Amino acid sequence: MTKVLVATDKPFAAIAVKGIREVVEGAGYELALLEKYTDKAQLLDAVKDANAVIIRSDIIDAPVLDAAKELKIVVRAGAGYDNVDLAAATAHNVCVMNTPGQNSNAVAELVFGMLVYAVRNFYNGTSGTELMGKKLGILAYGNVGRNVARIAKGFGMDVYAYDAFCPAEVIEKDGVKAVASTADLFKTCQIVSLHIPATAETKGSINFELMNSMPKGAIVVNTARKEVIDEAGLAKMLEERPDFKYITDIKPAIDADLAAKYPDRYFGTPKKMGAQTAEANINAGIAAAKQIVDFLQNGNEKFRVNK
Ligand code: NAD
């Protein structure tokens, strides 16, 4: 019987597993669960006879793919898939998918939770500012970026965006001002929210020069990936620009140092919280299960990421 394995070091909520089970068993497949595993050997063992695997932040590398002799598809329930070795998956003839869009509203809402906290001076009792009328720059107009734009308009913000691959017309149709480059976005906007993936081009790309070009009272909010920040540049920016704040859902390696030095200007969520809502959890898990069924039954590769 076709076997779908849910391999989650950090498990889905029980209600999400219930939804996944309904989709998988409804298609006539068997569901296997490997949750909170403590040792990679458990994963290597569990994938042996799996035809499909649903993961979250779990690492799927060449040794896992070597062990998974029957594997046809891996779906990362979530947006980022840098935890999967795509080249190794392609070499093993395994299709890799993500579930774009399922957690975007959750991440976008967190951006504003953190932004209000930042402009109100981390609730330290002093007078802060409002978001209304401020220029917000959205770096990458993908699933999360679009949700940020929608919410920002409700706050009465002046919204700008740049995306290397999304045409300006698409951005402007949403009533958002498209700018020509990342540099223009930072120069224009007092607040910049990062929504780029971690790629060869974006890693370390948010550097001192870019951040230092921002207007006075600058805030950078990162709910994307820690790798996109040049950490030395961030440290320099916090040191040289006492008006600058950095708030992040993904802590840099120098988190403890920055938190100690700049308690009023640096904030990192204690754990990555962006997608941690019941809704996102359920949506992404069920979408992953549906994509597996559609792939195995109809060959649908719409969300394939290792083309
Ligand atoms: P998405 O794939 O929908 O959008 C990414 C966008 O980035 C695309 O529109 C693409 O054209 C654009 N892009 C790619 N390279 C670019 C570049 N060099 N310059 C400008 N734009 C570029 O992804 P998403 O769902 O919106 O997720 C965005 C980011 O948020 C990713 O880094 C993802 O890993 C992260 N994320 C974090 C959490 C969390 O828990 N904090 C949850 C979900 C997603």
Side-chain angles (χ1 to χ4, degrees), residues 79-80 98 100-101 103-104 107 139-146 162-166 182 194-199 201-202 223-225 249-250 272-276:
N98 64 348
N103 55 22
S104 328
V107 180
L139 181 57
Y141 204 64
N143 286 292
V144 178
R146 285 162 210 233
Y162 171 70
D163 190 296
F165 303 101
C166 175
T182 300
L194 306 177
H195 304 291
I196 38 176
T199 63
E201 291 103 69
T202 64
T223 56
R225 282 288 180 266
D249 188 34
I250 325 96
K272 186 160 156 256
M273 293 300 298
Q276 296 292 6

Side-chain angles (χ1 to χ4, degrees), residues 150-163:
R150 171 179 55 78
I151 300 170
K153 282 188 269 171
F155 272 93
M157 299 186 82
D158 189 10
V159 191
Y160 293 73
Y162 171 70
D163 190 296

Side-chain angles (χ1 to χ4, degrees), residues 18-87:
K18 183 170 173 280
I20 292 170
R21 183 179 295 284
E22 281 167 9
V23 174
V24 169
E25 293 182 351
Y29 304 154
E30 180 191 344
L31 184 81
L33 283 181
L34 173 70
E35 295 181 325
K36 292 191 195 168
Y37 53 93
T38 47
D39 195 336
K40 186 152 179 181
Q42 293 171 272
L43 177 61
L44 294 175
D45 188 49
V47 295
K48 258 194 226 154
D49 58 349
N51 304 101
V53 178
I54 297 174
I55 53 162
R56 298 186 74 197
S57 300
D58 309 77
I59 308 289
I60 300 291
D61 54 12
V64 176
L65 292 157
D66 285 339
K69 299 276 182 257
E70 309 298 323
L71 191 62
K72 295 197 168 49
I73 176 167
V74 173
V75 182
R76 152 60 160 136
Y81 45 84
D82 39 357
N83 48 323
V84 181
D85 183 335
L86 295 187

